[in-house]
């Protein structure tokens, strides 16, 4: 299915093209010098669910879609490769692929970040030492979310793969590596690289040295021969070989959430953004030193521009937000479109006493509890579907509040304002609720496609299209702002009830089931 639109041509170029290889779709956006969208093309790919908790993507389909959307965006813009100064890459993070470097064929479907098949392996790796075994080096807890354990699972479960990997015939990559390798020629000299932001999500990179960690590699059981070279987020990795952008420099790579941080121009310490899509990811720039989290957040790389020092971030990842709205639409049939949830929820004054904690695949930040499952609590005969709709929206806002609290505890920085983006930010009630629960202003920029914009900015910096980050800041314009209206007593009372509801989710899955 192609779901694409053009938003009108700006200026005469030159331009930067950004590829966003996301969880549900791949898209390509062409930007002009003011950071405005010139053209967009987008295509969804299949979500493969072989067993409960398993989620896979066909990487060959994804690469075909990427080529199609790049061509689509360039044709819609009415330009040629000569008008494109650089290509930037951003991608769904953690999703793990192994492929044969001689044939270019994936050895298995990609294991998607949401896939929980490595829960037992992670538990085993943490036995006696705890789930924070590699946190000091990597900034991450041992969890099925991250790439390293997924690589191990593939090496253990695909017949003969470990021997081929040890012999140097197999390449590992997250989707950035897969796209860049193919874009730069594949079996005909493709470059095998990843950037520091994507590498920081593998559980395999030492966050302080920006190098693969030999000790962790041997603890998890991954041969170094499969690994890509770790590079900065903004530099020329190679040039496109073949295709509509033949010869154009491939000049940036950032995980999609870090790209959104960059696109929102959160370049100063303490600046934060939250992206509301299928899941929600809040990142705060913490400057040049990694801040350890003692409150369930991830320490991650925000970005690194060329040979400048890396900039770190704290991240709170929420697995289920927009996907809960989809669930209300597709599984429950309570609404016909995602947008309808706002109308339904606005038809009542409050949640009627109901709280919905969507721990559908356990809880991510700040709990990291694979044994949690979803609950709706506080039910009485008074509660209607409109109250549930309200509780659905409140769930996203409360989860953000919990992460914001954890960020303040870990960083010592009080959130001055939250920059938001993503599909759910078109919901005004949700945005107002968010401002109310956070007790801080919530602001949305003119260009809501911050993920692609961030990748374009990084690529543009690498080739001198933009001189520096100050030039990028000048492009950021506010489109909407919501200020808190809730009184402190109500906020405190409601927050307490929410936290009580969260407690009810824990320990639902018994050990043997997980
Ligand atoms: N008006 C709305 N209110 C609430 N949720 C919405 C609304 N519009 C879209 N969504 C949700 O936002 C998500 C899509 O946002 P998007 O940023 O495109 O996500 P992703 O990049 O993760 O695919 C979907 O999960 C959808 O349910
Ligand atoms: O592709 P998205 O927008 O769902 O983002 C996925 C995240 O990168 C997962 O960590």
């Amino acid at each position: 299915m192609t779901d694409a639109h053009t938003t009108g041509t700006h200026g005469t170029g030159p331009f930067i093209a950004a590829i966003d290889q996301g969880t549900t779709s791949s898209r390509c956006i062409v930007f002009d010098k003011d950071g405005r969208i010139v053209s967009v093309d987008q295509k969804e790919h299949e979500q493969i669910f072989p067993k409960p908790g398993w989620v896979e993507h066909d990487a060959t389909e994804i690469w075909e879609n990427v080529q199609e959307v790049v061509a689509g965006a360039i044709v819609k813009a009415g330009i040629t490769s000569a008008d494109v100064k650089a290509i930037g890459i951003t991608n769904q993070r953690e999703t793990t692929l192994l492929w044969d470097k001689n044939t270019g064929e994936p050895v298995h479907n990609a294991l998607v970040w949401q896939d929980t098949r490595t829960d037992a392996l992670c538990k085993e790796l943490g036995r006696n030492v705890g789930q924070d075994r590699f946190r000091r080096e990597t900034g991450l807890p041992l969890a099925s979310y991250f790439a390293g354990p997924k690589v191990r699972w593939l090496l253990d479960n695909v017949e003969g793969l470990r021997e081929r990997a040890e012999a140097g015939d197999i390449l590992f990559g997250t989707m950035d590596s897969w796209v860049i390798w193919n874009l730069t020629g594949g079996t005909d000299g493709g470059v095998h690289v990843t950037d520091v932001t994507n590498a920081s999500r593998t559980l395999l990179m030492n966050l302080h040295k920006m190098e693969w960690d030999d000790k962790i590699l041997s603890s998890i059981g991954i041969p170094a021969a499969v690994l890509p070279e770790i590079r900065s987020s903004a530099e020329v990795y190679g040039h496109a070989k073949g295709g509509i952008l033949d010869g154009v420099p491939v000049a940036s790579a950032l995980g999609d959430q870090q790209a959104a941080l960059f696109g929102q121009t959160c370049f100063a310490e303490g600046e934060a953004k939250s992206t509301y899509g299928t899941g929600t990811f809040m990142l705060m720039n913490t400057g040049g030193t990694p801040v350890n989290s003692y409150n369930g957040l991830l320490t991650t790389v925000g970005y690194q521009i060329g040979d400048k020092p890396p900039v770190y971030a704290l991240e709170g990842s929420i697995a289920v937000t927009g996907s809960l709205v989809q669930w209300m639409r597709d599984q429950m049939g309570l609404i016909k479109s995602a947008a309808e949830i706002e109308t339904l929820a606005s038809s009542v004054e409050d949640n009627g006493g109901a709280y919905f904690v969507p721990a559908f695949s356990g809880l991510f930040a700040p709990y990291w509890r694979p044994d949690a499952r979803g609950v709706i609590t506080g039910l009485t005969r008074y509660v209607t579907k409109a109250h549930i709709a309200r509780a659905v929206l409140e769930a996203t806002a409360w989860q953000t509040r919990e992460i914001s609290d954890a960020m303040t505890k870990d960083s010592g920085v009080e959130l001055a304002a939250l920059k938001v983006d993503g599909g759910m930010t078109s919901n005004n009630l949700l945005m107002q609720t968010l401002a109310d629960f956070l007790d801080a202003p919530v602001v949305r920029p003119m260009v809501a496609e911050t993920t692609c914009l961030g990748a374009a900015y990084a690529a543009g910096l690498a080739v001198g299209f933009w001189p520096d980050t100050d030039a990028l800041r000048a492009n950021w314009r506010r489109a909407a702002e919501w200020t808190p209206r809730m009184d402190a007593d109500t906020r405190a009372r409601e927050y307490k009830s929410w936290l009580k509801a969260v407690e009810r989710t824990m320990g639902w899955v018994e050990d043997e089931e997980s």
Side-chain angles (χ1 to χ4, degrees), residues 286-321:
T286 62
T289 34
V291 172
N292 290 331
S293 177
Y294 300 97
N295 296 283
L297 302 176
L298 309 177
T299 307
T300 199
V301 182
Y303 55 89
Q304 183 184 21
I305 303 170
D307 51 15
K308 294 202 174 116
V311 171
Y312 293 90
L314 276 171
E315 170 173 328
S317 330
I318 310 170
V320 178
T321 54

Side-chain angles (χ1 to χ4, degrees), residues 17 66 223 240 282 381 401 453:
V66 167
M282 179 168 164
R381 281 202 68 184
R401 167 67 198 262
L453 185 60

Side-chain angles (χ1 to χ4, degrees), residues 50-80:
K51 290 187 188 183
W54 291 28
V55 189
E56 299 181 356
H57 289 159
D58 174 350
T60 305
E61 180 193 5
I62 284 181
W63 169 236
E64 280 164 8
N65 289 359
V66 167
Q67 293 172 87
E68 209 175 294
V69 298
V70 169
I74 297 301
V75 168
K76 283 179 188 181
I79 60 176
T80 69

Side-chain angles (χ1 to χ4, degrees), residues 20-25 27 91-95 113-114 145 201 255-258 275 277-279 281 315 317 364 451:
D20 177 5
Q21 200 305 291
T23 309
T24 51
S25 69
R27 74 184 88 173
N91 56 289
Q92 54 168 325
R93 306 166 304 167
E94 300 97 11
T95 297
W113 60 276
Q114 300 146 324
Y145 179 26
R201 318 296 294 190
D256 54 10
Q257 303 308 322
Q258 283 88 341
T275 300
T278 316
F281 303 88
E315 170 173 328
S317 330
F364 279 17
T451 301

